[in-house]
Amino acid sequence: MPQAEGERVPLSALKEAEHLPRLLVLSFGVWLYAADSTLVATVMPVAVEEIGGLPYLSWTYTLYQLGSVVTGAIAALVILRTGIVRAEIAAGSLYVFGCALSAYASDMSIMILGRLLQGMGGGGLVSLAFIGASTLFPQKLWVRIIAVISAVWGVSSLCGPLIGGYFVNIGNWRGAFWAFAIQGLVTIFVAPPLLRKHFQSRTKEIQPLPVARLCLLSIAVLAICQAGVVSSIQFAGVLCATGVALILIFIKQDSDSVNRIFPRGILNPSTVSGSGLLMICSLFMATISLTVYGPLLMYIIFGASPLVAGYIIALESLAWTLTAIITSGFRERLEPILIKIGSVFVSISMLGLVYAMPVGPLWVISLFSFIMGMGFGMSWSFVSKRIIANVPETERAHASASIPTFMRVAMALGSALSGIIANNSGFSEASSVTVAQNVAFWCFASFTPLMFVGLFTAWRVSKR
């Protein structure tokens, strides 16, 4: 049952003996995925010098995202067959094996295979964390749990490049992958005692895995990811449009199936859950340019060092983390207000960056980055809770898995569209300040329609 109106859940409630161990296990899985996803920013340039394969470098990103989306999508179906403990062990094993392959890699083909397996294992661990939040804890704790998960994600994303940089500096880039392989083993061994007797498998409800639909989803994600790295603008546009079309076909087929991967109508704006997921996806797509092109644009236009630009981008994660933890303890009656204010904050920051990114100054860009993080932080946990709570109880695991899965797809699609916009302006590392300013304007202004979609759906999901 929902918590009583006006009841405030203290953060100390998570420290109870029955909650804390499970929360730590689930959060640790998020750490492994999020830190590993950004680790390669500092590791791969050095790794390529040793093993070669520069023309195929983008595939280390593409297949990592592919693996995380596909495995994350079917996490709920796997849990119904095996229970959460075996699912956690399976995901952890894939992750460890992938890290070991990348650590051993003698050429780019092995590295790419390792990154695919890391994505599969890590994506599974993240979806299991969201599923665990809604199935292993009482509903009154959902917002707190999701806030912790998002905080761990934010901190982990910041730590990944630092960890990779440390191992590069000591001349042992392979050690970075070994370090995460060892951590993956921890997940495998601690999950059984800490998660046992929770969410057992439902053997009577087993349906065959939807292999055909998973293949369709895989092709869609591949097309979208590649659209962001190909040089031909026309080909990128075709890939992007093809990917979106295939995703729509996938959603239609999945909705009509018995063994659905996601709840029926999961993107239907007339429902609370559909509005919530559309809000998350549209705002993520609309703002991803700050992460993708922000550092390079600040370097070309303002001469900002990579460290300074990195700190400015990190302000979003910092604000998100702090705001999510603080607001997760607010009373339930404030949820609709926080969701609306959060979407407004994100929109204000986006509109501000349309004008601030081309001309500065840097402190204004920093301010908007912080405001953006606050907006996501104060709304994300409450929207996620409503997405999960407003589907039938039998489909809550599926709804939980849909949140990180569609978020990753939205980020990939937003990155691809940003790349098309930038390439259409002739953008490169050697671009002039004038060209960079033009790109800085259009990489944010072009996503304004999605901002309005985010605002509209935020108001819909706020309705009781």
Side-chain angles (χ1 to χ4, degrees):
M1 293 293 292
Q3 67 197 83
E5 176 68 27
E7 180 183 347
R8 182 181 184 277
V9 180
L11 193 61
S12 58
L14 301 180
K15 298 180 181 179
E16 295 181 11
E18 62 178 359
H19 298 322
L20 186 58
R22 282 175 270 163
L23 176 59
L24 290 176
V25 172
L26 298 177
S27 298
F28 193 65
V30 175
W31 152 264
L32 292 178
Y33 173 80
D36 188 32
S37 66
T38 56
L39 173 83
V40 293
T42 47
V43 168
M44 287 310 299
V46 179
V48 168
E49 290 182 1
E50 179 178 333
I51 66 176
L54 181 61
Y56 307 101
L57 181 60
S58 65
W59 284 95
T60 62
Y61 163 79
T62 298
L63 293 187
Y64 186 85
Q65 293 300 320
L66 172 64
S68 65
V69 168
V70 173
T71 309
I74 62 169
L77 294 178
V78 173
I79 283 182
L80 292 178
R81 289 158 173 76
T82 67
I84 196 167
V85 171
R86 291 181 180 177
E88 191 86 12
I89 293 173
S93 299
L94 283 172
Y95 182 84
V96 170
F97 188 43
C99 288
L101 276 179
S102 293
Y104 266 124
S106 57
D107 56 47
M108 185 56 76
S109 62
I110 298 177
M111 174 64 76
I112 290 174
L113 177 59
R115 290 299 289 168
L116 171 63
L117 294 178
Q118 287 169 57
M120 292 175 66
L125 290 173
V126 170
S127 286
L128 290 174
F130 277 84
I131 293 171
S134 63
T135 56
L136 304 181
F137 301 91
Q139 186 169 339
K140 67 179 182 179
L141 291 180
W142 285 3
V143 171
R144 284 292 198 185
I145 299 295
I146 295 172
V148 170
I149 289 174
S150 64
V152 170
W153 195 316
V155 173
S156 304
S157 297
L158 296 177
C159 291
L162 298 178
I163 296 173
Y166 167 77
F167 281 98
V168 168
N169 287 335
I170 65 174
N172 183 22
W173 64 266
R174 297 178 186 272
F177 291 110
W178 283 124
F180 278 89
I182 293 172
Q183 294 177 74
L185 287 174
V186 173
T187 298
I188 294 173
F189 288 114
V190 302
L194 297 183
L195 299 180
R196 66 176 181 272
K197 298 181 180 179
H198 296 287
F199 203 100
Q200 299 301 315
S201 59
R202 303 173 186 174
T203 54
K204 294 183 179 180
E205 301 178 14
I206 288 180
Q207 297 286 342
L209 285 176
V211 177
R213 269 176 284 141
L214 288 175
C215 289
L216 186 63
L217 179 61
S218 300
I219 297 172
V221 173
L222 275 175
I224 291 172
C225 289
Q226 284 303 107
V229 296
V230 297
S231 56
S232 170
I233 299 172
Q234 292 76 14
F235 187 41
V238 171
L239 284 175
C240 198
T242 300
V244 173
L246 291 177
I247 286 178
L248 294 177
I249 294 173
F250 161 80
I251 292 173
K252 178 63 169 63
Q253 291 185 351
D254 189 65
S255 181
D256 295 337
S257 302
V258 176
N259 58 334
R260 290 187 296 275
I261 297 175
F262 302 118
R264 178 177 282 117
I266 191 60
L267 290 180
N268 185 349
S270 65
T271 65
V272 174
S273 297
S275 295
L277 204 56
L278 283 173
M279 172 192 167
I280 290 175
C281 291
S282 58
L283 292 181
F284 259 97
M285 288 176 60
T287 58
I288 195 65
S289 293
L290 178 63
T291 302
V292 177
Y293 284 107
L296 184 55
L297 289 170
M298 285 185 275
Y299 169 73
I300 296 175
I301 299 172
F302 310 108
S305 68
L307 182 62
V308 171
Y311 279 136
I312 292 175
I313 302 301
L315 284 174
E316 181 190 358
S317 295
L318 176 63
W320 184 329
T321 298
L322 294 177
T323 309
I325 295 298
I326 293 172
T327 58
S328 65
F330 285 15
R331 299 183 186 279
E332 187 182 16
R333 67 173 180 271
L334 297 177
E335 288 184 12
I337 299 175
L338 289 169
I339 292 173
K340 293 176 182 177
I341 294 177
S343 66
V344 170
F345 271 34
V346 173
S347 300
I348 289 174
S349 66
M350 180 184 167
L351 291 176
L353 288 171
V354 170
Y355 296 99
M357 188 61 77
V359 297
L362 287 177
W363 71 265
V364 175
I365 297 175
S366 302
L367 177 61
F368 285 128
S369 178
F370 195 84
I371 293 174
M372 183 183 295
M374 288 181 62
F376 280 118
M378 72 175 64
S379 59
W380 167 270
S381 301
F382 299 112
V383 173
S384 297
K385 170 196 168 183
R386 291 185 172 218
I387 291 173
I388 299 169
N390 284 277
V391 299
E393 187 172 355
T394 55
E395 293 192 313
R396 283 182 177 172
H398 301 71
S400 301
S402 72
I403 297 172
T405 300
F406 278 101
M407 183 189 72
R408 286 188 288 259
V409 172
M411 291 172 67
L413 182 56
S415 299
L417 292 174
S418 295
I420 293 173
I421 294 169
N423 291 335
N424 189 49
S425 301
F427 188 52
S428 69
E429 294 182 5
S431 293
S432 66
V433 172
T434 302
V435 171
Q437 288 175 326
N438 184 57
V439 172
F441 176 82
W442 286 110
C443 270
F444 291 95
S446 299
F447 289 101
T448 303
L450 285 174
M451 179 197 75
F452 287 111
V453 173
L455 286 170
F456 173 75
T457 49
W459 254 253
R460 290 194 63 86
V461 76
S462 300
K463 295 180 180 180
R464 293 187 177 276

